[in-house]
Amino acid sequence: MKNSIPVGKARFLIYVNEIEVILNKAELASNPAWTLYTENMRKPLFMLEALCRLYKKIKSHKKLKKLNELFKDFEDRLGEIDFYDGFQKEFLSPNIPTSILNYIKCKTDEKTEELNDHLKKEKWIGKHRNGMSKIHKELDEIKWLDEKDDTIAILDVYHDEIKKVIKKYKKKNPEFTSIEDDLHELRRELRWLSIYPQALNGLIQLKPNQVPPEFLLKYLTPEIINSPFNKMPDGTDIPHHILVNDNYFYALSWMIAELGNLKDSGLKILILEESIAAVYNTKENVEELVYSLLNENQKTIPQILEHSQEITTTFLSENILQNIIA
């Protein structure tokens, strides 16, 4: 990054350029929105949203707030397609009636068409496309810090982000009563702590700790340690790094993954409830019908929430978040 482009702006441009490449492919496709989805445009959008979340707290710049809203809206629209398409593929089993599969496919198509309309309306594609030029203009108008001050500021914000999560959930034992409002919300907040290091493209690196405390061993599974999410981007060209303790970061990663599995298990029930109610125009015996379609090992929503609450209470009591930054 030893060039005339400020380090903060350069980080944004990595993912802005990725988006531009995908949009160029979508421009030539018969179904642009589906191209964006299948080309995994959600990933660079997540990275850009993460950078906006960090940098808007370094400088309360209206441009960063505006960009954050733009990237989040775009990612949410792709997320809606992913939600229905993912379950459409998962439910390809003899137990799931064709009528329900057709409903979910229709919802996938509906969300895809909504994004196609959005792409044209906001001029992301088409003869007069200017979505990307607007992003470049916004980035040009921001006053960026030099590399040393940028690193110090990022460290402060990352530390504050961790403290914010600790404060929110340490006040009292968390009570999980909703898949979306409790389980999914906690996972989102923890996940940002894992996304920031990836988005910063090498600034944050793992600090090896040879012997982990015994209570951490349950989190240090081979799947977690070898996960691509726990391989930090190369930072050899960066003069100063922010270090995170590897074993504690792995524990965070385990928690995110486990909450993700529990969330997906709960959402599977909710989307089947939605589908049955819509297809059969009834609210009677919906829950009973849902469980009859699923594997006998499927946890109920109360069981999912109870387990989520248990592992969260343990995770928070072990002060893992307090020890992430080296």
Side-chain angles (χ1 to χ4, degrees), residues 230-296:
N230 293 326
K231 306 299 180 188
M232 297 300 174
D234 180 50
T236 52
D237 292 335
I238 299 174
H240 307 286
H241 295 105
I242 296 169
L243 299 180
V244 294
N245 289 310
D246 59 355
N247 293 321
Y248 287 92
F249 194 81
Y250 294 150
L252 168 67
S253 184
W254 182 93
M255 188 65 178
I256 294 167
E258 188 66 15
L259 289 175
N261 292 334
L262 289 163
K263 174 209 70 172
D264 289 344
S265 184
L267 290 179
K268 183 190 302 183
I269 296 169
L270 296 180
I271 192 173
L272 281 175
E273 288 181 349
E274 172 194 330
S275 303
I276 291 170
V279 170
Y280 300 108
N281 194 28
T282 181
K283 293 185 179 180
E284 295 182 6
N285 301 320
V286 170
E287 186 175 358
E288 183 179 337
L289 283 169
V290 167
Y291 289 115
S292 71
L293 297 175
L294 295 173
N295 187 291
E296 61 182 11

Side-chain angles (χ1 to χ4, degrees), residues 29-240:
S30 58
N31 189 340
W34 194 253
T35 298
L36 301 185
Y37 169 59
T38 55
E39 291 288 331
N40 196 19
M41 189 159 141
R42 287 187 82 192
K43 182 178 178 181
L45 285 169
F46 267 128
M47 300 297 112
L48 287 166
E49 192 180 342
L51 291 176
C52 286
R53 287 169 60 95
L54 291 170
Y55 278 95
K56 73 180 183 180
K57 290 169 184 171
I58 294 173
K59 285 196 170 185
S60 184
H61 203 300
K62 64 180 181 180
K63 300 291 184 184
L64 289 166
K65 182 179 179 181
K66 182 178 178 181
L67 285 171
N68 189 45
E69 292 170 353
L70 183 152
F71 297 136
K72 184 180 187 306
D73 177 70
F74 214 145
E75 189 280 318
D76 284 345
R77 291 173 185 275
L78 285 164
E80 289 178 331
I81 298 172
D82 186 40
F83 176 74
Y84 287 106
D85 180 60
F87 281 115
Q88 180 187 337
K89 291 170 180 172
E90 183 172 344
F91 290 152
L92 290 176
S93 74
N95 289 346
I96 307 298
T98 303
S99 56
I100 290 178
L101 290 175
N102 288 339
Y103 170 81
I104 297 174
K105 183 181 186 306
C106 285
K107 294 296 289 185
T108 305
D109 294 342
E110 175 188 313
K111 296 302 178 182
T112 304
E113 282 310 303
E114 286 178 6
L115 180 53
N116 275 323
D117 291 341
H118 177 76
L119 293 173
K120 294 173 185 175
K121 180 181 177 182
E122 299 300 321
K123 298 181 180 178
W124 290 104
I125 61 174
K127 183 177 179 181
H128 303 291
R129 58 182 286 195
N130 63 1
M132 295 308 300
S133 61
K134 286 182 178 179
I135 292 174
H136 283 287
K137 183 179 178 182
E138 303 281 16
L139 293 174
D140 288 342
E141 293 179 3
I142 295 169
K143 293 183 178 179
W144 303 94
L145 299 175
D146 64 36
E147 190 156 8
K148 181 179 178 182
D149 290 339
D150 178 275
T151 301
I152 294 169
I154 290 290
L155 174 59
D156 288 342
V157 174
Y158 190 48
H159 188 255
D160 287 344
E161 288 287 282
I162 292 172
K163 288 198 299 184
K164 184 174 70 174
V165 178
I166 294 169
K167 183 179 180 180
K168 179 175 179 179
Y169 290 98
K170 287 283 278 189
K171 279 185 177 180
K172 58 180 180 179
N173 289 331
E175 295 183 8
F176 284 28
T177 60
S178 165
I179 296 293
E180 182 63 34
D181 296 336
D182 298 316
L183 193 169
H184 199 182
E185 180 61 22
L186 171 61
R187 183 177 181 271
R188 283 192 194 99
E189 294 180 353
L190 293 178
R191 194 181 179 202
W192 284 120
L193 301 181
S194 179
I195 292 175
Y196 293 144
Q198 297 295 325
L200 290 165
N201 203 44
L203 177 64
I204 295 181
Q205 295 293 322
L206 294 176
K207 178 184 178 183
N209 291 280
Q210 293 183 343
V211 182
E214 187 173 347
F215 71 86
L216 282 184
L217 295 179
K218 60 182 175 289
Y219 301 115
L220 307 183
T221 65
E223 293 80 10
I224 290 297
I225 293 173
N226 296 314
S227 167
F229 296 110
N230 293 326
K231 306 299 180 188
M232 297 300 174
D234 180 50
T236 52
D237 292 335
I238 299 174
H240 307 286

